[in-house]
């Protein structure tokens, strides 16, 4: 279901709770909302009002992906940049890493399975942005 984006900083500044396999509906809502939002590359669950650590993003080929409970394990090649956000009016100055390693979970056969993956460039940047959202960090 397509959800309205939340701009309330009281909601966005709260750290998200760990997601479980029972949160599959939230993950689907994220994918639906991401697909329906023009110019969107990524969304975190708290941006649609659900305080669960789930993110959705589009890769370089515009294919959608979901991560449950993402965590940044390693970052290389730090750089400073400014980022916009769908749920914030102003841009923010941030430090990001060009290459990252992330741990996360994904649903497989009715259970969450642990995964690790490496990302670089734009995809690495938007995943870091979403991990910040899960931590309640206003970017």
């Amino acid at each position: 279901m397509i959800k309205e984006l939340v701009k309330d900083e009281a909601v966005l500044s709260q750290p998200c709770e760990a997601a479980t396999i029972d949160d599959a509906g939230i993950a689907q809502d994220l994918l639906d909302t991401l697909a329906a939002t023009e110019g969107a590359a990524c969304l975190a669950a708290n941006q649609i009002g659900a305080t669960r650590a789930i993110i959705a993003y589009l890769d370089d080929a515009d294919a959608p992906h979901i991560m449950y409970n993402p965590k940044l394990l390693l970052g290389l090649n730090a750089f400073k940049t400014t980022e916009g956000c769908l749920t914030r009016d102003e841009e923010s100055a941030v430090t990001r890493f060009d290459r990252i390693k992330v741990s996360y979970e994904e649903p497989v056969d009715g259970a969450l399975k642990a995964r690790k993956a490496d990302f670089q460039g734009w995809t690495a940047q938007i995943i870091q942005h979403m991990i910040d959202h899960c931590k309640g960090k206003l970017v």
Side-chain angles (χ1 to χ4, degrees):
M1 175 185 309
I2 298 169
K3 299 287 189 170
E4 186 173 331
L5 296 180
V6 172
K7 295 191 175 197
D8 183 347
E9 289 188 2
V11 173
L12 296 173
S13 64
Q14 293 181 27
C16 293
E17 299 173 31
T20 70
I21 193 66
D22 295 330
D23 294 318
I26 295 169
Q28 187 59 55
D29 291 347
L30 270 176
L31 290 172
D32 294 345
T33 305
L34 181 61
T37 305
E38 186 176 335
C42 53
L43 279 174
N46 60 356
Q47 292 180 285
I48 61 168
T51 55
R52 293 286 189 260
I54 306 173
I55 67 170
Y57 69 94
L58 301 176
D59 66 18
D60 291 333
D62 284 335
H65 299 273
I66 287 284
M67 290 181 173
Y68 286 61
N69 306 311
K71 290 182 179 52
L72 183 64
L73 299 176
L74 177 68
L76 299 171
N77 303 329
F79 65 96
K80 294 189 182 302
T81 189
T82 57
E83 293 178 348
C85 182
L86 294 169
T87 52
R88 304 273 330 252
D89 291 331
E90 65 280 345
E91 288 191 342
S92 299
V94 296
T95 299
R96 295 290 184 221
F97 298 102
D98 184 57
R99 295 178 50 199
I100 62 173
K101 181 179 286 293
V102 176
S103 68
Y104 62 97
E105 296 172 303
E106 67 180 357
V108 177
D109 298 328
L112 290 181
K113 301 293 182 186
R115 304 280 193 237
K116 289 182 184 174
D118 297 327
F119 301 93
Q120 64 183 27
W122 172 247
T123 304
Q125 186 175 349
I126 63 175
I127 289 172
Q128 290 168 83
H129 184 101
M130 293 299 96
I131 289 172
D132 282 349
H133 271 294
C134 290
K135 292 177 180 178
K137 183 176 179 183
L138 297 176
V139 180

